[in-house]
Amino acid sequence: MSQKPKNSSRAYQNITPKVIFQLAAPHSWAPASIMPVLFASILALGQGQFTVLLFYALLFAAILMQSSVNSFNDYYDFIRGTDTIENSPPNDDAILVFNSYNPRRVRLISICFLLAALALGVYVICTTNMMPLIIGIIGTAIVIAYSAGPQPLSYMPLGEFTSGVAMGILLPIAVYSAMTGEINWQTVYFFSPLMMGISMIMLTNNTCDIERDHGAGRKTLPILLGRSKACLLHRMLLSIWILFVAVTLIVFFRGGLFILPLGLFAGRRSILDLITAKLSPMQRGYHMIGIFKANLWINGTYSLCVLISILRSLIA
């Protein structure tokens, strides 16, 4: 007999600051919001355009935007019945499933995260240029379209691409253009590993969740491919991601290239685990931790290599 979620009761628990922090899902901040801001700021530093106050405004705006996405996902997955007690392990992010919190208040928290991000965005455009505003409008539309609406993007085979472009390309474009007042195709090219890493997070999650998402009526890319082909795509993209980083450093940032082998060696366990991963639902938590760590090792090392190369060129 299936259990009903505790939330079916009218007696709701109080939402404490700790719960709000959990809804924000801080474990996702590093690869999807902090690293894109850091990397774009490193490139801006290479142009002599780094500003500390602006950096913090952009960083917190990105974190708040990411928190809004995370809490909106929790809300809509609960409301639509995607997350249930039967298909969500106790240590999952499905906070509404295992606790009696008012879903409307969770939605309100999501909106507050988004409004706070937009408020910081207003400060940024008042002190810089209009490009962050344009990116912010597009980003807000993506946040809403990803979780809400009659046919959310998360229910289609677009989740990996959409999240990768939004957080890995558009976000660093907004940061770089705010600091330097310009953007060019070469800079966008440098952001590509960030897009790949974030897309890999979504591909890992969606492949592990094939059964749960199929039951909820989703048509994600892994559902269309099947687990075996999705795992093959996962390994191919992981290899392309690492190769892309290596080639970019060799061609453009040789001054920091010596760090890359050290970073890949240090992160070898997470990377090798992903290469051999079958991405089963029972191992979802383990694989999600693995892909987050891989992002830190691969894109973190990439960022460090670029920083060292830029600093060496500035000192020379």
Side-chain angles (χ1 to χ4, degrees):
M1 182 180 296
S2 63
Q3 293 179 318
K4 292 183 179 180
K6 295 179 181 180
N7 309 62
S8 61
S9 171
R10 292 181 179 272
Y12 293 119
Q13 296 174 257
N14 291 328
I15 297 181
T16 64
K18 180 180 178 181
V19 174
I20 295 174
F21 191 67
Q22 290 176 322
L23 287 168
H27 61 274
S28 68
W29 292 350
S33 53
I34 296 175
M35 195 168 294
V37 174
L38 282 173
F39 185 77
S41 300
I42 289 170
L43 293 184
L45 175 65
Q47 300 298 317
Q49 300 290 333
F50 179 81
T51 306
V52 174
L53 186 58
L54 187 57
F55 167 75
Y56 281 113
L58 290 162
L59 177 63
F60 284 113
I63 290 174
L64 287 165
M65 184 70 76
Q66 178 69 25
S67 300
S68 177
V69 171
N70 294 335
S71 49
F72 265 127
N73 282 341
D74 276 350
Y75 168 78
Y76 282 106
D77 283 349
F78 175 77
I79 292 298
R80 291 192 173 96
T82 305
D83 291 340
T84 65
I85 289 179
E86 290 80 5
N87 65 21
S88 301
N91 60 348
D92 199 15
D93 296 331
I95 295 175
L96 282 168
V97 172
F98 297 99
N99 300 277
S100 300
Y101 300 128
N102 189 332
R104 292 184 178 180
R105 291 191 178 181
V106 171
R107 182 179 60 184
L108 178 61
I109 291 168
S110 306
I111 295 171
C112 288
F113 281 140
L114 185 58
L115 292 177
L118 294 176
L120 284 172
V122 170
Y123 164 77
V124 170
I125 63 173
C126 287
T127 56
T128 58
N129 55 74
M130 296 301 291
M131 180 60 75
L133 173 62
I134 297 171
I135 301 298
I137 292 172
I138 297 172
T140 301
I142 291 175
V143 167
I144 296 172
Y146 187 83
S147 300
Q151 189 63 34
L153 294 176
S154 61
Y155 276 62
M156 297 184 283
L158 298 171
E160 292 81 5
F161 176 77
T162 303
S163 58
V165 169
M167 305 305 290
I169 297 292
L170 294 181
L171 173 56
I173 284 177
V175 173
Y176 185 82
S177 63
M179 289 192 174
T180 67
E182 61 181 30
I183 192 67
N184 55 69
W185 286 110
Q186 185 181 73
T187 305
V188 175
Y189 168 86
F190 294 151
F191 297 150
S192 298
L194 307 179
M195 178 192 70
M196 295 178 191
I198 294 168
S199 295
M200 285 290 294
I201 292 174
M202 290 305 303
L203 181 60
T204 304
N205 178 77
N206 288 344
T207 304
C208 291
D209 282 351
I210 283 177
E211 290 78 12
R212 178 161 69 174
D213 288 344
H214 186 270
R218 281 179 166 166
K219 299 294 183 183
T220 63
L221 181 60
I223 287 177
L224 297 181
L225 293 176
R227 177 164 277 111
S228 60
K229 290 183 179 179
C231 288
L232 178 60
L233 176 63
H234 191 270
R235 289 191 289 270
M236 290 174 58
L237 291 180
L238 179 62
S239 302
I240 293 171
W241 178 20
I242 296 172
L243 181 62
F244 194 98
V245 166
V247 170
T248 302
L249 292 175
I250 291 170
V251 175
F252 297 100
F253 301 103
R254 290 187 184 180
L257 182 61
F258 69 96
I259 296 294
L260 181 61
L262 301 177
L264 294 180
F265 179 77
R268 66 192 183 282
R269 180 173 180 180
S270 298
I271 296 170
L272 290 174
D273 279 352
L274 289 173
I275 291 174
T276 59
K278 295 183 179 179
L279 302 177
S280 65
M282 298 301 295
Q283 294 292 313
R284 178 182 182 276
Y286 179 78
H287 292 317
M288 289 307 297
I289 292 173
I291 191 60
F292 282 131
K293 288 182 177 179
N295 263 268
L296 295 178
W297 285 118
I298 298 171
N299 283 345
T301 302
Y302 173 56
S303 301
L304 181 59
C305 291
V306 173
L307 175 61
I308 292 173
S309 181
I310 287 175
L311 291 176
R312 292 182 67 176
S313 65
L314 291 175
I315 294 172

